[in-house]
Amino acid sequence: MTNLEAICQGKIKMLAGTYLAGADLSGANLADADLSGANLTGANLAGANLQRAILRANLRGANLTGADLTGADFRNADLRGASFANAQVREASFGGAFLTGSVIGNLDLSGVDLRGTDLRGANLAMAVLRQADLNNANLSGADLSGADLEEANLNGAVMRGANLTRANLLCAAIEQTVWDGALLDRTCLQGTPLSR
């Protein structure tokens, strides 16, 4: 059995600092694995079980389509250009992560920690971000069209040039949020200072 096969079967969980760039880890059982500082650039993690995994790693361009990321720790991870289509992200933490250009649309990110994340140019169209914490996040140029941000914390967030067409910001916290050039066409702003 190769090391990669053992990793995919969940027999090796201590993977901190491991070089796995471009590896095919689709469907792998990596629940509770420690991947701190690992290089997973361009890795295929489609359908992988990454529940509660520590993923403070380089996941630039990684494929996380359909992965179970419940409770995963992505704090300060490099996720630029990563794809999260149909992934499960309940209780995951992305605080301080780099998500520039990532594809996150249609995900349920309700209550997820996204404090201080770099989401410039990210595709969050139709994403559910109810009660998500986006405090001090940078969403410049992000596509949030049709996104549900009800009761989300957007205090101090940067929304320069973001597309919020038909987005729901009902009762969202928006103190010191930067809106320069944001597209707010048919956006629900009820219960926010912008509705006055």
Side-chain angles (χ1 to χ4, degrees):
M1 179 183 293
T2 68
N3 277 349
L4 196 56
E5 287 173 334
I7 290 168
C8 286
Q9 291 176 12
K11 295 180 178 178
I12 302 173
K13 299 283 188 180
M14 294 305 298
L15 296 162
T18 305
Y19 183 84
L20 292 165
D24 184 0
L25 297 164
S26 54
N29 178 10
L30 293 164
D32 301 304
D34 184 353
L35 290 145
S36 303
N39 185 342
L40 290 151
T41 305
N44 182 6
L45 291 151
N49 178 359
L50 290 155
Q51 293 181 26
R52 300 169 305 281
I54 300 170
L55 290 153
R56 298 180 195 177
N58 183 352
L59 288 141
R60 199 169 188 168
N63 179 6
L64 293 152
T65 301
D68 188 345
L69 308 171
T70 304
D73 181 357
F74 287 99
R75 286 179 290 170
N76 302 311
D78 186 349
L79 292 154
R80 288 176 277 187
S83 176
F84 291 87
N86 301 314
Q88 300 294 317
V89 292
R90 290 179 314 281
E91 300 171 20
S93 175
F94 291 90
F98 296 92
L99 287 148
T100 309
S102 295
V103 180
I104 309 170
N106 284 320
L107 285 191
D108 186 349
L109 295 153
S110 298
V112 170
D113 176 9
L114 292 158
R115 288 175 292 173
T117 53
D118 186 344
L119 287 153
R120 288 175 295 164
N123 180 352
L124 289 150
M126 305 302 291
V128 178
L129 291 147
R130 286 179 173 232
Q131 299 177 341
D133 192 348
L134 289 146
N135 188 53
N136 293 318
N138 188 344
L139 291 141
S140 297
D143 182 0
L144 289 150
S145 56
D148 186 352
L149 292 144
E150 186 172 329
E151 297 182 356
N153 178 0
L154 292 164
N155 291 332
V158 179
M159 308 292 278
R160 277 193 189 96
N163 181 1
L164 290 146
T165 301
R166 297 180 192 246
N168 175 21
L169 273 74
L170 180 68
C171 298
I174 58 169
E175 288 182 29
Q176 299 180 346
T177 302
V178 178
W179 299 98
D180 301 348
L183 184 57
L184 298 169
D185 184 29
R186 289 164 284 172
T187 303
C188 174
L189 299 166
Q190 187 177 346
T192 72
L194 291 176
S195 66
R196 296 181 192 131

